Every structure is written in C-alpha cells, then in structure tokens.
Amino acid sequence: MIEVLAGAIILYSTFERSPTSEGWIFRGPGASWVIGGTSGTRSIRVQHPGPTNYTFDDAWSSPLLNTTPLQWYRLSFNSKAPGTTNNPGSVGYGYWSATFYDKQTGNQLPDATFSSVFQSNNWVHNEFRFRTKATVGANGSLLPVQMRINFHSLGSQPLFIDDITVQSTTSQEVAQWADGIYNSFPAKLNYVPKTSRWQRIPLTMQKLRNGQNLRIVMLGDSIQNDTATAPIDVFLEREYPGSKVEIIPSVIGGTGVQYYKNCVQDCILKYKPDLLIIGGISNGNNISDFQSVVNQVRASDRVTKHKTEILLLTKAWSPNNYPNPIDYQLNPSIKELDQNPTNNTTIPNDYRGNLLWFAYANNLEYLDMTGIQSEFIYGPATAAGLGSPDANGNPYSIWMRDNYHLNDYGKQILGRILETYFSL
C-alpha cells in the first residue's frame, strides 16, 4: 500500500452554497438542499418517498474525486436522523457509500464500500475509515481510480447530512480508529486459532515474517467484499512490522466460483496474487466449480513460475432473517472445524464439510468462518445482548447494515477473525 501525506483533504463540503454548484449530484425526488445545519444554515437531505421500501436512486453523490490505489481515507460528517428506523435486519437508518470508477472508461466498479448511518434525533458527528480501490495495469501494477461519496435513504424517513470531509490518513491512524470501535463493544471475539493453521500457506507466512510485500486477492460476492473492506491490511502490518499488505477485492454481488471459473484470467490471474482468499455466501456446493478455479490458477503458475497460495473460507456471515432455515446459517451447535480432518470428532455432510475435504485433497488452506462466527454470536455476543436474533432480527441487527450485509461493527468482527488467524 502506498502512503500519501496524512491529512490531505480531497473533499470538504458545508453545503452553504448550492451542492450542485460544487459538483454534487442528486437523484430521486427525496434528495434536496434544505434549511438547517451544524456549521451554517444549510444541509442536504435524502428521503425516499415510499412508505417502507428503500432505493439507491434517492441519494446525494459527491463530485468525482481522484484517489491513490489502496490508500486509506478518513470520512467525517454530521448527520441527523430523527425518524423511526425501518430497515428489517438492521438498526441502520441509512447508508453512506464510496463508489469507484475506472479512470480510463468511466465505468463504475462492482466493489463499492457501504456502511450504516444510525438514528439520531439531534445532530451527531460520524467518523469512518475506508480503503480506496484500484484497477490493474501491465504486469499486475495498480492504477488509481476515481470515487464518489454517496448518502442513501432507507424507508420513508428523512436523513440530513452536513459538513463532510474526506482526507487521506495512515495505517497507524486507521488502527487506532478500529481499536476504538472494537473496544467499545461489550462483546469481544472468543476465537482461538487451531494449531494446524498455516500448514498450506508457508510462503504467505514467510513474507509476513520477513516484512515483505504481500498481495491478497479476495474473490467472491458482496459479503466477501465486506470482509475485504475490513482493515485486515492495517492489522497485519501492525502485527508484522515492515510488511506491506495489499488487499484487492475481486467481487461481484451474488456470484461465486460457479461464475469465476469462466473468468479466472480477468478476475484472479491479472492481479498476480500471492494469496487468493475465496469466500462469501454465494459459492455453490458444486465442488467441481472450486476444482476448476484451482486447476486454472495452478496451470497458470506452472507456466509463469508464479506461486499462488489459496485459502478457502466457509460462509463468512449469515443473513439476518432468522428463523428462515433456508438462508440463516449460524447455529449454537456449530463449532469451528479443524482443517486437518483427523482432528475433528465429526465432519458434517454439508457445504462446510465438503469444502474441508476438498481443501485437504488439494493442499489448500481452510478456515471455518461459519464455525467461528457461530461461536461468537451464540457466545459473547448473546451474553452481551447482541447475539442470537429473535423473530424480528434483533439484537443481531446491530452488526448489519441491512438484512444481508454488515456495517462497520460487523466488519470489525470479520477483520479481527483474520487478524487473529494470521497473528503470531
């Protein structure tokens, strides 16, 4: 990751002038410039006119901003959300997002970053950190993209935004921000890594220990993108001083290996990953699709003399639609599986078990995220009143930005799992 001068401001808006005169774009009838604000007399509002449904069409979007590849940015803004939250599966009131665009074509990239804005009767200050994206050039080089900051409504309630700043920041500052969020949780992760970890990713661990550059490609769906937007690189660089970790999402919502087996060159190989992490909740249970992806990556490695290590994740989170047995994946009886089959008393005859046997047969690293998160949700989170959901999706919803996706609270848990897994 290339660091730039911390604190360099790339966007500052108080909305005292018409937002459109400063390059802001409004979409939908619920986006307006209104009287009332924090530092002055004006702010922006987003409000979907429908009674319960939300739409991304009702939004304010910033001007296009130039970015540095994989740079961390600090987003701060004031918000007021005085209505009643109506967002099944989440206590989120609205969204903020960062969307990214190919500088050469102008096309929007599929891997946006999203998180929640929460209910507040009065103006409150918000602090977020996010990593920008990149496109790839010759020989795996990373090229800068442009981005917009967006604010989206949920339901029919108004969301007011004022005094927005976006500025570059450092890994150290991001780690402090992340620690502050995590330390505020009454529920802490109870994950203790298996002793069999790392057996099949020796080069990855060697690079980290030696303080070398490590490029990780995260392949999967929007849930895998949520995992990738957690500050994993920051955590690993803190754990292994001198290392430089690049996290590159290669994601399309709702897709899995059944899709990526047909675009291995464009979705994986062009990035030249040191470590390929395949995850999300949309990979089908057809192991032949996994085999096709792995075979193609290894065939390319034999030709190019590159070495790509692979880590397989079981489903990384669960939709918050309990008690629907089709989608809800966590269970108090589920415990983390060891990647060494002989270390498990039993191996379930399901996706988790099939993926474990496949990883073992192909010498691929395996991490049972479903088991780890079940132990967290039904352990510390439930004990703190933030875990196993009732029929309305509460209080599990504190971790979610909607019924399927995580906010920054949930991303903290995903990031801390991988931090703990890779830590000495």
Side-chain angles (χ1 to χ4, degrees):
M1 184 174 67
I2 302 172
E3 296 282 9
V4 300
L5 178 63
I9 295 175
I10 64 171
L11 176 66
Y12 177 67
S13 293
T14 63
F15 302 114
E16 293 307 294
R17 296 174 54 198
S18 169
T20 56
S21 70
E22 298 178 347
W24 285 78
I25 300 171
F26 68 93
R27 298 191 301 277
S32 56
W33 182 44
V34 297
I35 299 293
T38 51
S39 64
T41 61
R42 290 277 191 167
S43 60
I44 57 174
R45 180 179 68 185
V46 286
Q47 181 176 7
H48 180 53
T52 58
N53 295 328
Y54 65 85
T55 172
F56 295 143
D57 291 335
D58 292 274
W60 276 103
S61 298
S62 76
L64 278 172
L65 307 172
N66 292 321
T67 68
T68 299
L70 307 189
Q71 172 66 34
W72 279 94
Y73 289 91
R74 169 183 174 263
L75 167 65
S76 64
F77 59 89
N78 297 325
S79 66
K80 184 170 68 171
T84 302
T85 300
N86 189 353
N87 182 15
S90 169
V91 295
Y93 189 98
Y95 294 143
W96 71 263
S97 69
T99 48
F100 303 94
Y101 303 83
D102 189 315
K103 289 190 70 173
Q104 306 302 315
T105 66
N107 294 332
Q108 183 175 334
L109 303 177
D111 46 349
T113 298
F114 280 86
S115 197
S116 293
V117 180
F118 295 107
Q119 194 276 340
S120 58
N121 290 325
N122 299 308
W123 286 101
V124 296
H125 185 69
N126 303 271
E127 289 283 343
F128 294 94
R129 307 294 183 271
F130 67 95
R131 186 193 319 106
T132 193
K133 311 294 183 178
T135 54
V136 66
N139 200 32
S141 60
L142 298 180
L143 304 177
V145 300
Q146 293 183 304
M147 89 177 159
R148 296 185 191 273
I149 302 299
N150 315 281
F151 295 94
H152 313 262
S153 62
L154 283 167
S156 60
Q157 305 295 333
L159 171 63
F160 300 89
I161 303 293
D162 200 9
D163 295 337
I164 300 169
T165 302
V166 178
Q167 59 193 133
S168 58
T169 189
T170 64
S171 295
Q172 293 79 7
E173 194 273 338
V174 174
Q176 293 172 358
W177 167 78
D179 289 345
I181 294 177
Y182 185 69
N183 291 337
S184 71
F185 295 162
K188 298 296 189 295
L189 194 65
N190 57 336
Y191 167 51
V192 178
K194 302 292 187 183
T195 57
S196 61
R197 64 177 173 158
W198 306 346
Q199 290 179 354
R200 303 164 196 166
I201 52 168
L203 297 180
T204 294
M205 300 313 302
Q206 181 181 340
K207 284 178 178 289
L208 288 172
R209 290 191 181 103
N210 292 344
Q212 296 175 284
N213 292 350
L214 177 70
R215 178 171 290 186
I216 301 175
V217 168
M218 306 283 286
L219 186 76
D221 58 8
S222 57
I223 305 300
Q224 182 75 334
N225 187 52
D226 284 344
T227 308
T229 56
I232 303 164
D233 48 346
V234 168
F235 294 151
L236 295 186
E237 289 172 1
R238 180 169 62 179
E239 177 71 18
Y240 296 95
S243 63
K244 288 295 180 183
V245 179
E246 297 176 337
I247 304 290
I248 301 176
S250 182
V251 298
I252 299 175
T255 61
V257 287
Q258 62 274 17
Y259 172 86
Y260 293 111
K261 68 179 181 180
N262 297 316
C263 60
V264 168
Q265 174 60 43
D266 193 53
C267 297
I268 302 172
L269 299 179
K270 72 178 183 181
Y271 295 109
K272 298 186 179 298
D274 300 304
L275 176 65
L276 172 65
I277 302 181
I278 304 175
I281 65 172
S282 302
N283 292 306
N285 199 18
N286 189 340
I287 293 300
S288 66
D289 293 333
F290 282 94
Q291 191 71 68
S292 176
V293 171
V294 171
N295 288 349
Q296 290 180 68
V297 170
R298 287 180 166 171
S300 174
D301 280 357
R302 286 192 293 271
V303 172
T304 63
K305 309 304 180 183
H306 185 72
K307 178 61 177 177
T308 306
E309 295 183 324
I310 301 175
L311 166 61
L312 304 180
L313 307 180
T314 59
K315 297 183 178 182
W317 199 265
S318 175
N320 191 18
N321 51 0
Y322 177 87
N324 188 333
I326 297 174
D327 292 327
Y328 189 70
Q329 298 156 8
L330 308 182
N331 189 290
S333 66
I334 293 177
K335 307 299 179 185
E336 183 194 0
L337 292 171
D338 193 297
Q339 72 168 353
N340 187 338
T342 60
N343 291 340
N344 298 294
T345 304
T346 60
I347 298 175
N349 185 24
D350 59 11
Y351 177 82
R352 295 166 61 232
N354 293 341
L355 198 64
L356 187 151
W357 285 114
F358 171 74
Y360 178 72
N362 286 270
N363 195 35
L364 308 173
E365 190 79 0
Y366 171 94
L367 182 61
D368 183 15
M369 297 287 277
T370 310
I372 296 168
Q373 289 170 68
S374 287
E375 293 182 46
F376 169 71
I377 288 296
Y378 287 97
T382 295
L386 301 172
S388 52
D390 60 24
N392 296 317
N394 295 307
Y396 182 74
S397 53
I398 188 66
W399 310 104
M400 312 293 286
R401 70 175 184 266
D402 55 38
N403 195 50
Y404 274 82
H405 301 96
L406 291 89
N407 58 33
D408 273 277
Y409 295 167
K411 292 178 189 180
Q412 279 289 315
I413 302 304
L414 291 178
R416 301 283 167 170
I417 290 173
L418 289 175
E419 174 193 26
T420 304
Y421 166 79
F422 281 107
S423 295
L424 295 169

